[in-house]
Amino acid sequence: MANRRPLLAGNWKMHKTIQEARDFAVGFQEKVQDVTDLDMVICAPFTALSVLKEELEESIIHIGAQNMYYQPKGAFTGEISPLMLLDLACTYVIIGHSERREYFKEDDELIARKVKAALDMSLTPILCVGENLALREGGKALGFVRGQVEKDLMELTPSELQKVVIAYEPIWAIGTGKTASARDAQEMCSAIRSTLAGIAGSVAQEIRILYGGSVKSGNIAELMVQPDIDGALVGGASLEVEEFAQLIQNAR
Ligand code: PGA
């Protein structure tokens, strides 16, 4: 059994002003300074990354973005490049979140390029996959998610794949208060790992797979004990210092 280091990632989405981000960083840092047995990352809006760099660059808390474009620079109005994220001390970047797929029409081809571009710049991509309610109810969730994993990662070498983090986030569980049962989440994460094994062989045992969708301090423990769940991508519950710090403690 591989020794995968747990990862707890906060996804602030479109929340927090610069001042709010600073206040969070200061307060959170104080509460989790003894946490050395897992990795923590805060994925903030672009506008808050600079202040997180100031407050967290020297800390054990990693900084992440929620999206990026795959080109290093150029005429791409409104986009942010991997180089710019490095400049802001980011080490992680969320790629292909379901909100980007749905509202901003990102497809698997674009997402695959972004994953590759992140790796080329030594950023750790957190690739999000997950089915909607209709697919789940139609019994098609497993096949759909396996397809996403294959399409988004197919071009990578095993040593690149090893550095990817995958977040399984069923769309019907995001922000709804409805978590997948720990059993369903484990079933899907295990299916994802076997899909990865098909692409990269034994390296699949070293790839971290997170669960996301209404994760809170109250349900993190039952998710963390599942054999194929290596952590969580947390939206709403990562916005308050007390709650996110408690979630981290309960995950240990
Ligand atoms: P949630 O969001 O924890 O608020 O459900 C998770 C996510 O979308 O990453």
Side-chain angles (χ1 to χ4, degrees):
M1 190 71 201
N3 201 3
R4 298 184 297 268
R5 189 170 158 84
L7 171 64
L8 275 297
N11 173 13
W12 281 354
K13 307 194 180 185
M14 200 170 70
H15 293 284
K16 293 200 189 293
T17 61
I18 292 172
Q19 188 58 48
E20 287 165 351
R22 189 187 298 279
D23 292 346
F24 183 101
V26 171
F28 184 65
Q29 201 177 161
E30 211 177 280
K31 291 225 179 275
V32 297
Q33 54 192 352
D34 63 322
V35 178
T36 51
D37 46 355
L38 51 79
D39 289 335
M40 295 171 281
V41 54
I42 294 172
C43 299
F46 296 128
T47 47
L49 291 174
S50 175
V51 76
L52 290 194
K53 175 178 166 155
E54 273 173 51
E55 299 295 343
L56 300 180
E57 191 173 12
E58 308 296 323
S59 81
I60 53 172
I61 303 159
H62 296 272
I63 305 168
Q66 301 170 12
N67 180 33
M68 57 166 226
Y69 196 52
Y70 62 82
Q71 295 281 5
K73 61 181 173 183
F76 304 103
T77 302
E79 293 297 300
I80 298 283
S81 87
L83 270 176
M84 294 166 176
L85 297 184
L86 286 181
D87 219 10
L88 287 159
C90 288
T91 47
Y92 289 80
V93 57
I94 297 173
I95 304 281
H97 190 281
S98 60
E99 287 149 17
R100 300 234 37 105
R101 294 179 190 255
E102 187 180 342
Y103 306 137
F104 305 99
K105 306 289 172 255
E106 293 197 9
D107 61 17
D108 290 306
E109 192 191 327
L110 176 66
I111 290 164
R113 285 182 189 214
K114 290 185 175 192
V115 170
K116 177 79 173 100
L119 290 168
D120 287 347
M121 288 293 164
S122 300
L123 288 161
T124 299
I126 303 178
L127 170 69
C128 300
V129 295
E131 81 285 357
N132 63 24
L133 191 58
L135 287 163
R136 167 65 52 174
E137 288 178 342
K140 298 203 171 89
L142 279 171
F144 178 79
V145 171
R146 280 175 180 274
Q148 283 184 317
V149 170
E150 283 169 358
K151 284 183 253 176
D152 298 347
L153 301 176
M154 214 33 143
E155 305 289 315
L156 304 181
T157 64
S159 71
E160 286 174 323
L161 255 182
Q162 193 179 351
K163 297 177 196 129
V164 173
V165 174
I166 302 200
Y168 166 57
E169 299 204 306
I171 295 169
W172 48 270
I174 295 176
T176 57
K178 258 196 255 168
T179 337
S181 69
R183 228 181 102 226
D184 285 350
Q186 161 58 24
E187 184 188 36
M188 184 64 86
C189 292
S190 156
I192 290 171
R193 199 174 304 287
S194 66
T195 306
L196 293 169
I199 308 173
S202 60
V203 161
Q205 287 304 319
E206 285 155 47
I207 300 173
R208 292 187 289 184
I209 303 177
L210 316 180
Y211 169 78
S214 298
V215 177
K216 300 186 170 49
S217 58
N219 59 20
I220 184 69
E222 59 191 284
L223 292 161
M224 293 301 291
V225 296
Q226 304 300 319
D228 285 293
I229 299 178
D230 306 312
L233 181 56
V234 183
S238 73
L239 290 171
E240 302 291 332
V241 168
E242 293 291 333
E243 168 64 6
F244 198 38
Q246 189 62 53
L247 189 153
I248 302 278
Q249 296 299 345
N250 294 357
R252 299 170 79 186

PDB file of all heavy atoms in Angstrom, residues 211-249:
ATOM      1  N   TYR A 211     -12.065  13.683  -2.218  1.00  0.00           N
ATOM      2  CA  TYR A 211     -13.507  13.776  -2.408  1.00  0.00           C
ATOM      3  C   TYR A 211     -13.914  15.234  -2.181  1.00  0.00           C
ATOM      4  O   TYR A 211     -13.337  15.912  -1.316  1.00  0.00           O
ATOM      5  CB  TYR A 211     -14.274  12.865  -1.431  1.00  0.00           C
ATOM      6  CG  TYR A 211     -15.745  13.185  -1.465  1.00  0.00           C
ATOM      7  CD1 TYR A 211     -16.538  12.724  -2.504  1.00  0.00           C
ATOM      8  CD2 TYR A 211     -16.309  14.044  -0.518  1.00  0.00           C
ATOM      9  CE1 TYR A 211     -17.879  13.093  -2.602  1.00  0.00           C
ATOM     10  CE2 TYR A 211     -17.641  14.417  -0.602  1.00  0.00           C
ATOM     11  CZ  TYR A 211     -18.413  13.937  -1.649  1.00  0.00           C
ATOM     12  OH  TYR A 211     -19.720  14.332  -1.747  1.00  0.00           O
ATOM     13  N   GLY A 212     -14.888  15.711  -2.926  1.00  0.00           N
ATOM     14  CA  GLY A 212     -15.421  17.054  -2.691  1.00  0.00           C
ATOM     15  C   GLY A 212     -16.923  17.081  -2.896  1.00  0.00           C
ATOM     16  O   GLY A 212     -17.472  16.340  -3.722  1.00  0.00           O
ATOM     17  N   GLY A 213     -17.597  17.961  -2.141  1.00  0.00           N
ATOM     18  CA  GLY A 213     -19.047  18.087  -2.233  1.00  0.00           C
ATOM     19  C   GLY A 213     -19.629  18.072  -0.835  1.00  0.00           C
ATOM     20  O   GLY A 213     -19.798  17.009  -0.244  1.00  0.00           O
ATOM     21  N   SER A 214     -19.898  19.282  -0.298  1.00  0.00           N
ATOM     22  CA  SER A 214     -20.490  19.435   1.036  1.00  0.00           C
ATOM     23  C   SER A 214     -19.688  18.753   2.147  1.00  0.00           C
ATOM     24  O   SER A 214     -20.258  18.200   3.086  1.00  0.00           O
ATOM     25  CB  SER A 214     -21.944  18.951   1.042  1.00  0.00           C
ATOM     26  OG  SER A 214     -22.726  19.724   0.144  1.00  0.00           O
ATOM     27  N   VAL A 215     -18.359  18.810   2.024  1.00  0.00           N
ATOM     28  CA  VAL A 215     -17.515  18.297   3.106  1.00  0.00           C
ATOM     29  C   VAL A 215     -17.459  19.340   4.227  1.00  0.00           C
ATOM     30  O   VAL A 215     -17.309  20.535   3.966  1.00  0.00           O
ATOM     31  CB  VAL A 215     -16.081  17.986   2.613  1.00  0.00           C
ATOM     32  CG1 VAL A 215     -15.202  17.521   3.776  1.00  0.00           C
ATOM     33  CG2 VAL A 215     -16.118  16.927   1.519  1.00  0.00           C
ATOM     34  N   LYS A 216     -17.610  18.861   5.465  1.00  0.00           N
ATOM     35  CA  LYS A 216     -17.619  19.747   6.634  1.00  0.00           C
ATOM     36  C   LYS A 216     -16.827  19.094   7.766  1.00  0.00           C
ATOM     37  O   LYS A 216     -16.459  17.926   7.647  1.00  0.00           O
ATOM     38  CB  LYS A 216     -19.067  19.958   7.117  1.00  0.00           C
ATOM     39  CG  LYS A 216     -19.948  20.582   6.066  1.00  0.00           C
ATOM     40  CD  LYS A 216     -21.326  20.923   6.590  1.00  0.00           C
ATOM     41  CE  LYS A 216     -22.085  21.753   5.573  1.00  0.00           C
ATOM     42  NZ  LYS A 216     -22.066  21.214   4.206  1.00  0.00           N
ATOM     43  N   SER A 217     -16.655  19.841   8.857  1.00  0.00           N
ATOM     44  CA  SER A 217     -15.921  19.257   9.989  1.00  0.00           C
ATOM     45  C   SER A 217     -16.644  18.014  10.510  1.00  0.00           C
ATOM     46  O   SER A 217     -16.019  17.092  11.009  1.00  0.00           O
ATOM     47  CB  SER A 217     -15.746  20.287  11.106  1.00  0.00           C
ATOM     48  OG  SER A 217     -17.010  20.756  11.532  1.00  0.00           O
ATOM     49  N   GLY A 218     -17.973  17.978  10.341  1.00  0.00           N
ATOM     50  CA  GLY A 218     -18.757  16.867  10.873  1.00  0.00           C
ATOM     51  C   GLY A 218     -18.729  15.593  10.051  1.00  0.00           C
ATOM     52  O   GLY A 218     -19.104  14.524  10.548  1.00  0.00           O
ATOM     53  N   ASN A 219     -18.339  15.671   8.776  1.00  0.00           N
ATOM     54  CA  ASN A 219     -18.344  14.428   7.983  1.00  0.00           C
ATOM     55  C   ASN A 219     -16.980  14.057   7.405  1.00  0.00           C
ATOM     56  O   ASN A 219     -16.845  13.048   6.709  1.00  0.00           O
ATOM     57  CB  ASN A 219     -19.404  14.497   6.868  1.00  0.00           C
ATOM     58  CG  ASN A 219     -19.183  15.670   5.907  1.00  0.00           C
ATOM     59  OD1 ASN A 219     -18.091  16.215   5.825  1.00  0.00           O
ATOM     60  ND2 ASN A 219     -20.220  16.046   5.181  1.00  0.00           N
ATOM     61  N   ILE A 220     -15.947  14.856   7.701  1.00  0.00           N
ATOM     62  CA  ILE A 220     -14.637  14.584   7.097  1.00  0.00           C
ATOM     63  C   ILE A 220     -14.046  13.258   7.598  1.00  0.00           C
ATOM     64  O   ILE A 220     -13.431  12.507   6.823  1.00  0.00           O
ATOM     65  CB  ILE A 220     -13.647  15.767   7.337  1.00  0.00           C
ATOM     66  CG1 ILE A 220     -12.311  15.528   6.628  1.00  0.00           C
ATOM     67  CG2 ILE A 220     -13.408  16.038   8.817  1.00  0.00           C
ATOM     68  CD1 ILE A 220     -12.343  15.580   5.141  1.00  0.00           C
ATOM     69  N   ALA A 221     -14.255  12.944   8.870  1.00  0.00           N
ATOM     70  CA  ALA A 221     -13.588  11.764   9.445  1.00  0.00           C
ATOM     71  C   ALA A 221     -14.008  10.476   8.736  1.00  0.00           C
ATOM     72  O   ALA A 221     -13.163   9.644   8.388  1.00  0.00           O
ATOM     73  CB  ALA A 221     -13.869  11.679  10.942  1.00  0.00           C
ATOM     74  N   GLU A 222     -15.315  10.323   8.484  1.00  0.00           N
ATOM     75  CA  GLU A 222     -15.775   9.073   7.852  1.00  0.00           C
ATOM     76  C   GLU A 222     -15.293   8.962   6.408  1.00  0.00           C
ATOM     77  O   GLU A 222     -15.140   7.861   5.871  1.00  0.00           O
ATOM     78  CB  GLU A 222     -17.306   8.979   7.909  1.00  0.00           C
ATOM     79  CG  GLU A 222     -18.008  10.125   7.230  1.00  0.00           C
ATOM     80  CD  GLU A 222     -19.519  10.188   7.518  1.00  0.00           C
ATOM     81  OE1 GLU A 222     -20.243   9.375   6.935  1.00  0.00           O
ATOM     82  OE2 GLU A 222     -19.932  11.058   8.317  1.00  0.00           O
ATOM     83  N   LEU A 223     -15.029  10.115   5.786  1.00  0.00           N
ATOM     84  CA  LEU A 223     -14.487  10.077   4.416  1.00  0.00           C
ATOM     85  C   LEU A 223     -13.011   9.700   4.429  1.00  0.00           C
ATOM     86  O   LEU A 223     -12.548   8.900   3.618  1.00  0.00           O
ATOM     87  CB  LEU A 223     -14.686  11.442   3.740  1.00  0.00           C
ATOM     88  CG  LEU A 223     -16.145  11.808   3.437  1.00  0.00           C
ATOM     89  CD1 LEU A 223     -16.301  13.308   3.210  1.00  0.00           C
ATOM     90  CD2 LEU A 223     -16.677  11.024   2.236  1.00  0.00           C
ATOM     91  N   MET A 224     -12.284  10.276   5.388  1.00  0.00           N
ATOM     92  CA  MET A 224     -10.829  10.052   5.438  1.00  0.00           C
ATOM     93  C   MET A 224     -10.445   8.599   5.725  1.00  0.00           C
ATOM     94  O   MET A 224      -9.347   8.182   5.384  1.00  0.00           O
ATOM     95  CB  MET A 224     -10.179  10.952   6.505  1.00  0.00           C
ATOM     96  CG  MET A 224     -10.210  12.440   6.209  1.00  0.00           C
ATOM     97  SD  MET A 224      -9.404  12.935   4.681  1.00  0.00           S
ATOM     98  CE  MET A 224      -7.681  12.637   5.044  1.00  0.00           C
ATOM     99  N   VAL A 225     -11.322   7.848   6.373  1.00  0.00           N
ATOM    100  CA  VAL A 225     -10.948   6.458   6.689  1.00  0.00           C
ATOM    101  C   VAL A 225     -11.131   5.529   5.482  1.00  0.00           C
ATOM    102  O   VAL A 225     -10.709   4.376   5.523  1.00  0.00           O
ATOM    103  CB  VAL A 225     -11.737   5.881   7.899  1.00  0.00           C
ATOM    104  CG1 VAL A 225     -11.409   6.656   9.152  1.00  0.00           C
ATOM    105  CG2 VAL A 225     -13.232   5.867   7.633  1.00  0.00           C
ATOM    106  N   GLN A 226     -11.732   6.023   4.410  1.00  0.00           N
ATOM    107  CA  GLN A 226     -11.904   5.176   3.217  1.00  0.00           C
ATOM    108  C   GLN A 226     -10.542   4.955   2.551  1.00  0.00           C
ATOM    109  O   GLN A 226      -9.756   5.892   2.423  1.00  0.00           O
ATOM    110  CB  GLN A 226     -12.871   5.838   2.222  1.00  0.00           C
ATOM    111  CG  GLN A 226     -14.231   6.183   2.805  1.00  0.00           C
ATOM    112  CD  GLN A 226     -14.958   4.956   3.321  1.00  0.00           C
ATOM    113  OE1 GLN A 226     -14.939   3.901   2.702  1.00  0.00           O
ATOM    114  NE2 GLN A 226     -15.579   5.096   4.488  1.00  0.00           N
ATOM    115  N   PRO A 227     -10.297   3.725   2.093  1.00  0.00           N
ATOM    116  CA  PRO A 227      -8.948   3.402   1.610  1.00  0.00           C
ATOM    117  C   PRO A 227      -8.497   4.195   0.376  1.00  0.00           C
ATOM    118  O   PRO A 227      -7.293   4.417   0.222  1.00  0.00           O
ATOM    119  CB  PRO A 227      -9.029   1.902   1.286  1.00  0.00           C
ATOM    120  CG  PRO A 227     -10.481   1.547   1.293  1.00  0.00           C
ATOM    121  CD  PRO A 227     -11.161   2.529   2.174  1.00  0.00           C
ATOM    122  N   ASP A 228      -9.416   4.627  -0.468  1.00  0.00           N
ATOM    123  CA  ASP A 228      -8.985   5.341  -1.682  1.00  0.00           C
ATOM    124  C   ASP A 228      -9.225   6.842  -1.631  1.00  0.00           C
ATOM    125  O   ASP A 228      -9.052   7.534  -2.621  1.00  0.00           O
ATOM    126  CB  ASP A 228      -9.672   4.739  -2.917  1.00  0.00           C
ATOM    127  CG  ASP A 228      -9.047   3.399  -3.270  1.00  0.00           C
ATOM    128  OD1 ASP A 228      -7.868   3.397  -3.663  1.00  0.00           O
ATOM    129  OD2 ASP A 228      -9.716   2.361  -3.097  1.00  0.00           O
ATOM    130  N   ILE A 229      -9.648   7.351  -0.483  1.00  0.00           N
ATOM    131  CA  ILE A 229      -9.863   8.792  -0.334  1.00  0.00           C
ATOM    132  C   ILE A 229      -8.697   9.385   0.465  1.00  0.00           C
ATOM    133  O   ILE A 229      -8.472   9.020   1.613  1.00  0.00           O
ATOM    134  CB  ILE A 229     -11.211   9.101   0.351  1.00  0.00           C
ATOM    135  CG1 ILE A 229     -12.359   8.540  -0.501  1.00  0.00           C
ATOM    136  CG2 ILE A 229     -11.382  10.604   0.565  1.00  0.00           C
ATOM    137  CD1 ILE A 229     -13.746   8.746   0.085  1.00  0.00           C
ATOM    138  N   ASP A 230      -7.974  10.292  -0.172  1.00  0.00           N
ATOM    139  CA  ASP A 230      -6.732  10.808   0.424  1.00  0.00           C
ATOM    140  C   ASP A 230      -6.866  12.245   0.915  1.00  0.00           C
ATOM    141  O   ASP A 230      -5.863  12.895   1.206  1.00  0.00           O
ATOM    142  CB  ASP A 230      -5.605  10.728  -0.602  1.00  0.00           C
ATOM    143  CG  ASP A 230      -5.455   9.320  -1.163  1.00  0.00           C
ATOM    144  OD1 ASP A 230      -5.423   8.377  -0.357  1.00  0.00           O
ATOM    145  OD2 ASP A 230      -5.411   9.156  -2.397  1.00  0.00           O
ATOM    146  N   GLY A 231      -8.111  12.731   0.965  1.00  0.00           N
ATOM    147  CA  GLY A 231      -8.298  14.089   1.427  1.00  0.00           C
ATOM    148  C   GLY A 231      -9.569  14.661   0.825  1.00  0.00           C
ATOM    149  O   GLY A 231     -10.415  13.922   0.336  1.00  0.00           O
ATOM    150  N   ALA A 232      -9.694  15.996   0.877  1.00  0.00           N
ATOM    151  CA  ALA A 232     -10.930  16.612   0.411  1.00  0.00           C
ATOM    152  C   ALA A 232     -10.674  17.967  -0.239  1.00  0.00           C
ATOM    153  O   ALA A 232      -9.699  18.658   0.086  1.00  0.00           O
ATOM    154  CB  ALA A 232     -11.901  16.780   1.580  1.00  0.00           C
ATOM    155  N   LEU A 233     -11.564  18.308  -1.164  1.00  0.00           N
ATOM    156  CA  LEU A 233     -11.630  19.653  -1.725  1.00  0.00           C
ATOM    157  C   LEU A 233     -12.889  20.285  -1.127  1.00  0.00           C
ATOM    158  O   LEU A 233     -13.994  19.773  -1.308  1.00  0.00           O
ATOM    159  CB  LEU A 233     -11.691  19.600  -3.253  1.00  0.00           C
ATOM    160  CG  LEU A 233     -11.734  20.935  -4.001  1.00  0.00           C
ATOM    161  CD1 LEU A 233     -10.557  21.829  -3.633  1.00  0.00           C
ATOM    162  CD2 LEU A 233     -11.744  20.712  -5.514  1.00  0.00           C
ATOM    163  N   VAL A 234     -12.683  21.368  -0.410  1.00  0.00           N
ATOM    164  CA  VAL A 234     -13.732  21.906   0.457  1.00  0.00           C
ATOM    165  C   VAL A 234     -14.116  23.307   0.018  1.00  0.00           C
ATOM    166  O   VAL A 234     -13.264  24.202  -0.012  1.00  0.00           O
ATOM    167  CB  VAL A 234     -13.211  21.958   1.920  1.00  0.00           C
ATOM    168  CG1 VAL A 234     -14.299  22.449   2.854  1.00  0.00           C
ATOM    169  CG2 VAL A 234     -12.679  20.603   2.363  1.00  0.00           C
ATOM    170  N   GLY A 235     -15.376  23.523  -0.296  1.00  0.00           N
ATOM    171  CA  GLY A 235     -15.844  24.849  -0.699  1.00  0.00           C
ATOM    172  C   GLY A 235     -16.316  25.644   0.502  1.00  0.00           C
ATOM    173  O   GLY A 235     -15.531  26.246   1.231  1.00  0.00           O
ATOM    174  N   GLY A 236     -17.628  25.640   0.731  1.00  0.00           N
ATOM    175  CA  GLY A 236     -18.247  26.457   1.772  1.00  0.00           C
ATOM    176  C   GLY A 236     -17.565  26.377   3.131  1.00  0.00           C
ATOM    177  O   GLY A 236     -17.367  27.397   3.801  1.00  0.00           O
ATOM    178  N   ALA A 237     -17.174  25.176   3.538  1.00  0.00           N
ATOM    179  CA  ALA A 237     -16.597  24.994   4.871  1.00  0.00           C
ATOM    180  C   ALA A 237     -15.145  25.482   4.970  1.00  0.00           C
ATOM    181  O   ALA A 237     -14.535  25.399   6.033  1.00  0.00           O
ATOM    182  CB  ALA A 237     -16.689  23.527   5.295  1.00  0.00           C
ATOM    183  N   SER A 238     -14.598  26.003   3.860  1.00  0.00           N
ATOM    184  CA  SER A 238     -13.229  26.545   3.944  1.00  0.00           C
ATOM    185  C   SER A 238     -13.236  28.064   4.099  1.00  0.00           C
ATOM    186  O   SER A 238     -12.184  28.703   4.152  1.00  0.00           O
ATOM    187  CB  SER A 238     -12.425  26.170   2.691  1.00  0.00           C
ATOM    188  OG  SER A 238     -12.854  26.911   1.557  1.00  0.00           O
ATOM    189  N   LEU A 239     -14.416  28.646   4.224  1.00  0.00           N
ATOM    190  CA  LEU A 239     -14.506  30.112   4.245  1.00  0.00           C
ATOM    191  C   LEU A 239     -14.363  30.704   5.640  1.00  0.00           C
ATOM    192  O   LEU A 239     -14.066  31.888   5.785  1.00  0.00           O
ATOM    193  CB  LEU A 239     -15.833  30.563   3.625  1.00  0.00           C
ATOM    194  CG  LEU A 239     -15.961  30.352   2.106  1.00  0.00           C
ATOM    195  CD1 LEU A 239     -17.394  30.627   1.645  1.00  0.00           C
ATOM    196  CD2 LEU A 239     -14.975  31.227   1.345  1.00  0.00           C
ATOM    197  N   GLU A 240     -14.615  29.897   6.666  1.00  0.00           N
ATOM    198  CA  GLU A 240     -14.524  30.385   8.044  1.00  0.00           C
ATOM    199  C   GLU A 240     -13.327  29.740   8.726  1.00  0.00           C
ATOM    200  O   GLU A 240     -13.182  28.510   8.677  1.00  0.00           O
ATOM    201  CB  GLU A 240     -15.786  30.006   8.835  1.00  0.00           C
ATOM    202  CG  GLU A 240     -17.090  30.525   8.251  1.00  0.00           C
ATOM    203  CD  GLU A 240     -17.209  32.033   8.365  1.00  0.00           C
ATOM    204  OE1 GLU A 240     -16.599  32.597   9.310  1.00  0.00           O
ATOM    205  OE2 GLU A 240     -17.882  32.633   7.523  1.00  0.00           O
ATOM    206  N   VAL A 241     -12.523  30.545   9.402  1.00  0.00           N
ATOM    207  CA  VAL A 241     -11.322  30.037  10.062  1.00  0.00           C
ATOM    208  C   VAL A 241     -11.641  28.878  11.012  1.00  0.00           C
ATOM    209  O   VAL A 241     -11.025  27.809  10.941  1.00  0.00           O
ATOM    210  CB  VAL A 241     -10.601  31.166  10.844  1.00  0.00           C
ATOM    211  CG1 VAL A 241      -9.539  30.600  11.765  1.00  0.00           C
ATOM    212  CG2 VAL A 241      -9.992  32.167   9.876  1.00  0.00           C
ATOM    213  N   GLU A 242     -12.622  29.102  11.904  1.00  0.00           N
ATOM    214  CA  GLU A 242     -12.932  28.093  12.927  1.00  0.00           C
ATOM    215  C   GLU A 242     -13.316  26.764  12.298  1.00  0.00           C
ATOM    216  O   GLU A 242     -12.835  25.699  12.678  1.00  0.00           O
ATOM    217  CB  GLU A 242     -14.112  28.568  13.808  1.00  0.00           C
ATOM    218  CG  GLU A 242     -13.810  29.766  14.684  1.00  0.00           C
ATOM    219  CD  GLU A 242     -12.835  29.444  15.809  1.00  0.00           C
ATOM    220  OE1 GLU A 242     -12.797  28.262  16.230  1.00  0.00           O
ATOM    221  OE2 GLU A 242     -12.104  30.349  16.243  1.00  0.00           O
ATOM    222  N   GLU A 243     -14.218  26.838  11.330  1.00  0.00           N
ATOM    223  CA  GLU A 243     -14.741  25.615  10.712  1.00  0.00           C
ATOM    224  C   GLU A 243     -13.658  24.884   9.916  1.00  0.00           C
ATOM    225  O   GLU A 243     -13.516  23.663  10.022  1.00  0.00           O
ATOM    226  CB  GLU A 243     -15.951  25.962   9.829  1.00  0.00           C
ATOM    227  CG  GLU A 243     -16.442  24.854   8.892  1.00  0.00           C
ATOM    228  CD  GLU A 243     -16.981  23.590   9.589  1.00  0.00           C
ATOM    229  OE1 GLU A 243     -17.093  23.579  10.830  1.00  0.00           O
ATOM    230  OE2 GLU A 243     -17.255  22.607   8.882  1.00  0.00           O
ATOM    231  N   PHE A 244     -12.866  25.619   9.154  1.00  0.00           N
ATOM    232  CA  PHE A 244     -11.856  24.940   8.331  1.00  0.00           C
ATOM    233  C   PHE A 244     -10.758  24.357   9.221  1.00  0.00           C
ATOM    234  O   PHE A 244     -10.270  23.249   8.984  1.00  0.00           O
ATOM    235  CB  PHE A 244     -11.297  25.894   7.272  1.00  0.00           C
ATOM    236  CG  PHE A 244     -10.588  25.170   6.138  1.00  0.00           C
ATOM    237  CD1 PHE A 244     -11.069  23.966   5.625  1.00  0.00           C
ATOM    238  CD2 PHE A 244      -9.432  25.696   5.573  1.00  0.00           C
ATOM    239  CE1 PHE A 244     -10.415  23.302   4.583  1.00  0.00           C
ATOM    240  CE2 PHE A 244      -8.774  25.040   4.527  1.00  0.00           C
ATOM    241  CZ  PHE A 244      -9.266  23.836   4.033  1.00  0.00           C
ATOM    242  N   ALA A 245     -10.400  25.076  10.280  1.00  0.00           N
ATOM    243  CA  ALA A 245      -9.368  24.564  11.193  1.00  0.00           C
ATOM    244  C   ALA A 245      -9.889  23.306  11.908  1.00  0.00           C
ATOM    245  O   ALA A 245      -9.158  22.327  12.083  1.00  0.00           O
ATOM    246  CB  ALA A 245      -8.984  25.635  12.209  1.00  0.00           C
ATOM    247  N   GLN A 246     -11.160  23.317  12.280  1.00  0.00           N
ATOM    248  CA  GLN A 246     -11.756  22.138  12.919  1.00  0.00           C
ATOM    249  C   GLN A 246     -11.790  20.956  11.956  1.00  0.00           C
ATOM    250  O   GLN A 246     -11.517  19.815  12.320  1.00  0.00           O
ATOM    251  CB  GLN A 246     -13.183  22.487  13.398  1.00  0.00           C
ATOM    252  CG  GLN A 246     -13.829  21.421  14.270  1.00  0.00           C
ATOM    253  CD  GLN A 246     -13.051  21.188  15.555  1.00  0.00           C
ATOM    254  OE1 GLN A 246     -12.764  22.115  16.290  1.00  0.00           O
ATOM    255  NE2 GLN A 246     -12.664  19.932  15.813  1.00  0.00           N
ATOM    256  N   LEU A 247     -12.134  21.251  10.716  1.00  0.00           N
ATOM    257  CA  LEU A 247     -12.169  20.209   9.681  1.00  0.00           C
ATOM    258  C   LEU A 247     -10.785  19.556   9.531  1.00  0.00           C
ATOM    259  O   LEU A 247     -10.662  18.327   9.441  1.00  0.00           O
ATOM    260  CB  LEU A 247     -12.630  20.856   8.369  1.00  0.00           C
ATOM    261  CG  LEU A 247     -12.962  19.962   7.177  1.00  0.00           C
ATOM    262  CD1 LEU A 247     -13.978  20.656   6.280  1.00  0.00           C
ATOM    263  CD2 LEU A 247     -11.751  19.582   6.361  1.00  0.00           C
ATOM    264  N   ILE A 248      -9.759  20.404   9.530  1.00  0.00           N
ATOM    265  CA  ILE A 248      -8.388  19.880   9.405  1.00  0.00           C
ATOM    266  C   ILE A 248      -8.074  18.976  10.605  1.00  0.00           C
ATOM    267  O   ILE A 248      -7.559  17.873  10.453  1.00  0.00           O
ATOM    268  CB  ILE A 248      -7.359  21.042   9.359  1.00  0.00           C
ATOM    269  CG1 ILE A 248      -7.633  22.008   8.213  1.00  0.00           C
ATOM    270  CG2 ILE A 248      -5.923  20.522   9.385  1.00  0.00           C
ATOM    271  CD1 ILE A 248      -7.128  21.636   6.868  1.00  0.00           C
ATOM    272  N   GLN A 249      -8.425  19.431  11.792  1.00  0.00           N
ATOM    273  CA  GLN A 249      -8.154  18.607  12.989  1.00  0.00           C
ATOM    274  C   GLN A 249      -8.908  17.289  12.914  1.00  0.00           C
ATOM    275  O   GLN A 249      -8.353  16.232  13.223  1.00  0.00           O
ATOM    276  CB  GLN A 249      -8.549  19.363  14.273  1.00  0.00           C
ATOM    277  CG  GLN A 249      -7.756  20.643  14.553  1.00  0.00           C
ATOM    278  CD  GLN A 249      -6.245  20.423  14.726  1.00  0.00           C
ATOM    279  OE1 GLN A 249      -5.770  19.297  14.911  1.00  0.00           O
ATOM    280  NE2 GLN A 249      -5.469  21.508  14.642  1.00  0.00           N
TER     281      GLN A 249
END
